[in-house]
Amino acid sequence: MSKALILGGDTGLLGQALTMVLDKSNWNVETLGRRNGNLLDPQFLQASLEKISPDVVFNAVAWTAVDDAEDHPEEAGILNRTLPHSLARILSKSKTFLVHISTDFVFSGAGYTPHKEEDEPQPTSVYGRTKLEGEKAVLALIPERSCIVRTAWLFGPGRKNFVDTIISACKHRDTIKVVHDQTGSPTYTLDLAHWCRVIAEKRASGIWHAVNSGQASWCELACEAVSLAGASCRVEPIATSEWPQKAKRPVFSVLDNGKLAALIGKPPRPWTQALREYIFSTYLPAQQGEDAC
Ligand SMILES: NC(=O)c1ccc[n+]([C@@H]2O[C@H](COP(=O)([O-])OP(=O)(O)OC[C@H]3O[C@@H](n4cnc5c(N)ncnc54)[C@H](OP(=O)(O)O)[C@@H]3O)[C@@H](O)[C@H]2O)c1
């Protein structure tokens, strides 16, 4: 039985999905988060890794507040660059494999062709830049015993995400306005956790783009979520310029998942299918209960 250590496995959106999926796949799973101690203290980190002695570490801890990162570049850098660097340095003395999670926001989003693993990153935000620096730190120190899994636009159980925000907004409003001129790869955390498991089991080093198939704008994702949830709210498309945000987002950050498809033996299922599973399992049982009352 392989032993996994999941950083952020108790509380993170992806961390919890990894914990669930690996647990079900008969991995011996341990988690580590700030409840256990200060992950940013290299001595604590080293002692924890030595004590747990995992076969694979999954790093799902990050500074994920994209706009706040613009005001807190140091803090974002400590989580997104220094932590993976410390992890890789500590693991360089062991046989442990590291699965480090990264983001589509390492790309500038120019052009309209899905980004491949070998495409040149060019982040436009502090978040994207610090995540790219984290990737580089890992690949420089343990290239043979690590992988970078870039993903995007996550939805799934356990922690509030874009889809939850939209469905919740629809309960209180007749109309919501959602940006339609940014396009990406909506991805289900439980699918992503499954691909991460396969990548880890195969010790598949290098960079992987791990997203559900298809692409959408935020507005299209919101429309699909509203429709699947059976809400009657109107979703109105707006331009990015009408929804000013501190961090600059890529216009087109769709990731090409062809390399992952070859590894897992089939294309990842479409995001629409995964979203249906998420919404039906998360929202519709509750709604059916409410109807019954
Ligand atoms: N969400 C997305 O749409 C998306 C898109 C592309 C890539 N990604 C990448 O996917 C990975 C997972 O993202 P996610 O959405 O699952 O993140 P998340 O839900 O925001 O979880 C982040 C995790 O990091 C932990 N954390 C934050 N600051 C910490 C600190 N100072 N010390 C210790 N732990 C700390 C959080 O712990 P607490 O719960 O205690 O705060 C939480 O467990 C990240 O690498 C992210 O860059 C996410």
Side-chain angles (χ1 to χ4, degrees):
M1 188 190 270
S2 295
K3 189 172 199 184
L5 174 63
I6 305 171
L7 270 58
D10 280 335
T11 62
L13 180 60
L14 176 59
Q16 292 177 79
L18 282 165
T19 301
M20 240 184 284
V21 165
L22 290 169
D23 237 359
K24 276 195 190 145
S25 308
N26 279 331
W27 279 59
N28 176 354
V29 177
E30 302 244 3
T31 59
L32 196 65
R34 58 175 132 202
R35 290 175 191 170
N36 308 102
N38 181 7
L39 303 189
L40 307 173
D41 170 3
Q43 282 174 352
F44 169 75
L45 196 59
Q46 178 153 6
S48 304
L49 287 164
E50 281 171 4
K51 187 170 157 220
I52 296 168
S53 186
D55 299 299
V56 180
V57 171
F58 295 83
N59 180 24
V61 160
W63 181 293
T64 55
V66 176
D67 293 307
D68 282 354
E70 299 294 315
D71 291 327
H72 301 278
E74 287 303 316
E75 294 93 324
I78 287 170
L79 272 166
N80 294 348
R81 175 188 55 239
T82 313
L83 175 61
H85 180 268
S86 299
L87 265 177
R89 193 180 46 72
I90 295 165
L91 294 180
S92 66
K93 295 170 195 122
S94 74
K95 291 196 171 124
T96 304
F97 190 78
L98 173 62
V99 177
H100 177 66
I101 311 297
S102 193
T103 173
D104 56 333
F105 278 26
V106 297
F107 293 110
S108 69
Y112 289 95
T113 311
H115 301 282
K116 289 183 187 287
E117 285 79 353
E118 60 273 20
D119 288 352
E120 192 62 40
Q122 206 174 18
T124 59
S125 62
V126 169
Y127 169 71
R129 180 167 50 74
T130 54
K131 290 293 295 181
L132 179 61
E133 288 165 356
E135 290 186 4
K136 287 182 177 168
V138 168
L139 291 175
L141 285 168
I142 45 170
E144 310 294 328
R145 275 182 301 98
S146 69
C147 66
I148 306 299
V149 176
R150 292 188 187 135
T151 192
W153 295 31
L154 297 181
F155 59 85
R159 189 154 172 152
K160 196 165 185 187
N161 55 78
F162 174 80
V163 168
D164 299 330
T165 302
I166 292 295
I167 292 176
S168 151
C170 279
K171 288 188 182 143
H172 310 292
R173 286 186 244 157
D174 296 333
T175 304
I176 54 169
K177 296 181 181 193
V178 186
V179 166
H180 77 91
D181 54 359
Q182 290 170 29
T183 303
S185 305
T187 297
Y188 190 26
T189 52
L190 293 175
D191 287 357
L192 173 58
H194 169 73
W195 305 322
C196 286
R197 176 181 65 76
V198 175
I199 288 170
E201 286 172 352
K202 291 180 184 286
R203 301 292 193 269
S205 58
I207 299 177
W208 298 91
H209 286 179
V211 291
N212 282 115
S213 295
Q215 62 183 57
S217 70
W218 290 113
C219 186
E220 287 165 337
L221 174 56
C223 283
E224 190 69 19
V226 167
S227 152
L228 285 168
S232 55
C233 169
R234 196 178 115 79
V235 183
E236 200 175 289
I238 56 166
T240 299
S241 56
E242 295 173 75
W243 189 262
Q245 287 176 299
K246 198 130 202 176
K248 189 170 177 222
R249 265 78 174 165
V251 171
F252 185 88
S253 64
V254 176
L255 298 180
D256 184 319
N257 60 15
K259 185 180 167 192
L260 177 74
L263 186 84
I264 63 175
K266 59 180 179 191
R269 64 176 164 167
W271 67 265
T272 42
Q273 200 181 327
L275 182 67
R276 189 175 312 130
E277 182 179 307
Y278 173 56
I279 288 181
F280 282 14
S281 60
T282 308
Y283 290 99
L284 296 190
Q287 284 185 12
Q288 279 157 14
E290 281 168 20
D291 288 350
C293 296

